[in-house]
């Protein structure tokens, strides 16, 4: 069996046994619209082709931790981070503009109180991920 991801080089995967065979192969997915094409040749030398377009929308990755009275936040996205919104408890939402950076980090002084922090990360395509954590 052969497969091709977008306009990249064809990859051949060989079955490990005779007869009816199911092949599973993992490949990294990229964000955006992608086309995968699979070509299979059966034992009678008949070729089957199948193409499928997929819209893969990976979400931003949010990492945060609290050390002492400081909240540390890092957001990553392979296409770029547009903005990060932060809300402490039910207070005002603070917005940080990331301007398409692949990785965006900041620190915030939370004081000595127990908090619930909600981080909303938006990538340059508009995909959002929300993460909430508490320090008590």
């Amino acid at each position: 069996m052969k497969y091709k991801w977008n306009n990249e080089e064809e990859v051949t995967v060989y079955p490990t046994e005779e007869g009816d065979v199911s092949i599973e192969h993992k490949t990294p997915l990229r964000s955006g619209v992608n086309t995968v094409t699979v070509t299979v040749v059966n034992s009678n030398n008949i070729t089957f082709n199948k193409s499928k377009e997929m819209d893969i929308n990976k979400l931003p990755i949010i990492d945060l931790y609290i050390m002492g009275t400081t909240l540390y936040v890092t957001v990553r996205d392979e296409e770029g981070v547009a903005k990060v919104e932060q809300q402490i408890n039910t207070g005002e939402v603070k917005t940080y503009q990331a301007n398409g950076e692949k990785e965006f980090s900041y620190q915030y002084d939370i004081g000595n109180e127990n908090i619930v922090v909600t981080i909303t990360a938006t990538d340059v395509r508009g995909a959002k991920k929300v993460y909430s954590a508490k320090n008590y």
Side-chain angles (χ1 to χ4, degrees), residues 7-121:
N7 292 324
E8 295 177 3
E9 187 176 319
E10 235 176 32
V11 176
T12 302
V13 180
Y14 297 97
T16 56
E17 56 187 75
E18 295 287 327
D20 291 341
V21 176
S22 173
I23 298 172
E24 181 179 314
H25 186 75
K26 294 181 182 181
T27 189
L29 298 177
R30 294 191 184 98
S31 290
V33 177
N34 296 273
T35 302
V36 64
T37 302
V38 178
T39 302
V40 178
V41 180
N42 70 10
S43 58
N44 294 326
N45 212 22
I46 297 173
T47 301
F48 301 92
N49 289 306
K50 178 78 174 178
S51 290
K52 182 172 183 172
E53 191 173 271
M54 295 180 278
D55 189 0
I56 308 296
N57 199 2
K58 292 184 179 179
L59 298 177
I61 297 168
I62 301 171
D63 292 318
L64 65 86
Y65 66 94
I66 297 170
M67 186 182 309
T69 61
T70 305
L71 169 69
Y72 297 88
V73 178
T74 299
V75 177
R76 290 178 203 77
D77 186 84
E78 65 184 34
E79 300 295 324
V81 180
K83 68 180 178 178
V84 178
E85 297 170 316
Q86 166 191 293
Q87 185 176 31
I88 304 291
N89 298 324
T90 58
E92 179 182 332
V93 174
K94 180 166 179 56
T95 301
Y96 298 89
Q97 297 300 324
N99 302 316
E101 293 179 33
K102 306 267 187 214
E103 181 174 302
F104 178 76
S105 297
Y106 69 90
Q107 301 172 17
Y108 184 82
D109 183 16
I110 59 170
N112 289 318
E113 63 183 285
N114 290 333
I115 65 162
V116 174
V117 60
T118 301
I119 304 294
T120 303

